[in-house]
Amino acid sequence: MSLESVNRKREIEDLEFYLEKPIYTLLGASVGPEEKKVNVIGVPLEDTVSFRPGTRFAPDVLRSVSRFVEYSSSSDSVLSFSLLVDCGNVTLLQGAVSRNLDRIRRVGSVLLRVCRGLLVVGGEHTLTLALADVLAERGNVLLVVFDSHLDLKDEWPPGQEVSHATFLRRLLEKRQNITVLHVGSHAFDEKELRFLEENKSRLVRIGPAEAHPGRLSRLVRDLSRDVEHVYISIDVDVLDPAQMPATSNPEGVGLSYRDLTCCLQLIAQSLNNKIRIVDIVEYNPLLDQGYTYATRIIKLMIDTVTTIWQYA
Ligand SMILES: [Mn+2]
């Protein structure tokens, strides 16, 4: 065994302190971490709630509900068990957002060195700040965000610099080598639009009406030209609340599930071998009825994994 792989093995073992082993794994996966697989981590981060609390329960509820659904995608493929491992949840300290982001960064940094891809289950959207930051250490990043909100506020609530509504601004201030394609937003204020305008060379927004494959394919091709790594972040409130009411900050309208998966397919076709991280955030099981919408999130995970990693 080479020194490099001995060190890698030791780093993975050292993660034990920061990862809580799952009681049930997601989608019947075996327990990770494991090299060369798609590693699942739950991130029960919920430190900056502004409306309805509950996202921190999402990873464990989704694992538990995933025992009762079929592992087939909405386009007739069946998830391969050998593709995924579940590393459990990042152990977090309730209320300590910056220490928690450090822990998420640390776990992400080790796993990204060894895994094929990272499937991250939130928790609040703020976790993307830590993981996109880690990915940007490794080269130029295209971050594709699906979200009803722009999350470009300077402070939210007033006085709070790091939160689910400010994370994207903090990320762009910190990292010059991240380009963002923002899809589906229709909820923002004038200051956020001004920031968008001032940063339009690396922050491209397409609203819900334009979120179709034809428009996306050209943009994705152009934006990914000088990019080594792609990160896809899905805030489930991008979906119409009629299709996804179980989310902390709903915004009245949104994309259909089919719009979202068509966009994902298109991105996967154009950028498959560059996609390193997908996160699915802001599902709130306390607002779910009989776990109906948990099954939709699980279907979204299966569709994502089969589209992006299984048939690559
Ligand atoms: Mn949102």
Side-chain angles (χ1 to χ4, degrees), residues 55-81:
T55 58
R56 72 178 181 279
F57 301 111
D60 288 337
V61 167
L62 292 166
R63 284 189 182 97
S64 169
V65 174
S66 77
R67 296 156 66 218
F68 304 105
V69 299
E70 301 282 359
Y71 300 161
S72 48
S73 77
S74 55
S75 56
D76 290 349
S77 48
V78 176
L79 183 72
S80 156
F81 288 101

Side-chain angles (χ1 to χ4, degrees), residues 159-206:
Q160 173 110 25
E161 290 177 6
V162 174
S163 79
H164 64 93
T166 68
F167 88 87
L168 190 56
R169 189 175 183 128
R170 293 292 95 83
L171 181 65
L172 288 165
E173 286 166 350
K174 181 167 185 198
R175 290 282 177 192
Q176 296 304 312
N177 64 335
I178 295 182
T179 303
V180 176
L181 174 59
H182 202 287
V183 186
S185 65
H186 53 88
F188 35 70
D189 64 27
E190 282 179 355
K191 287 183 187 161
E192 291 180 284
L193 288 181
R194 202 173 317 135
F195 185 88
L196 189 74
E197 179 61 26
E198 287 163 3
N199 292 276
K200 61 184 175 193
S201 61
R202 62 193 188 109
L203 180 48
V204 178
R205 168 184 175 257
I206 58 174

Side-chain angles (χ1 to χ4, degrees), residues 142 181-183 204-206 210 213-225 266 271:
L142 173 63
L181 174 59
H182 202 287
V183 186
V204 178
R205 168 184 175 257
I206 58 174
E210 304 166 290
R215 172 100 169 90
L216 260 184
S217 77
R218 228 170 320 126
L219 266 177
V220 166
R221 227 184 10 245
D222 291 348
L223 292 173
S224 62
R225 209 156 279 153
L266 179 274
L271 302 171

Side-chain angles (χ1 to χ4, degrees), residues 125 147-149 151 235 237 249 282:
H125 211 163
D147 197 338
S148 274
H149 309 90
D151 297 342
D235 181 331
D237 71 31
N249 299 275
E282 297 284 347

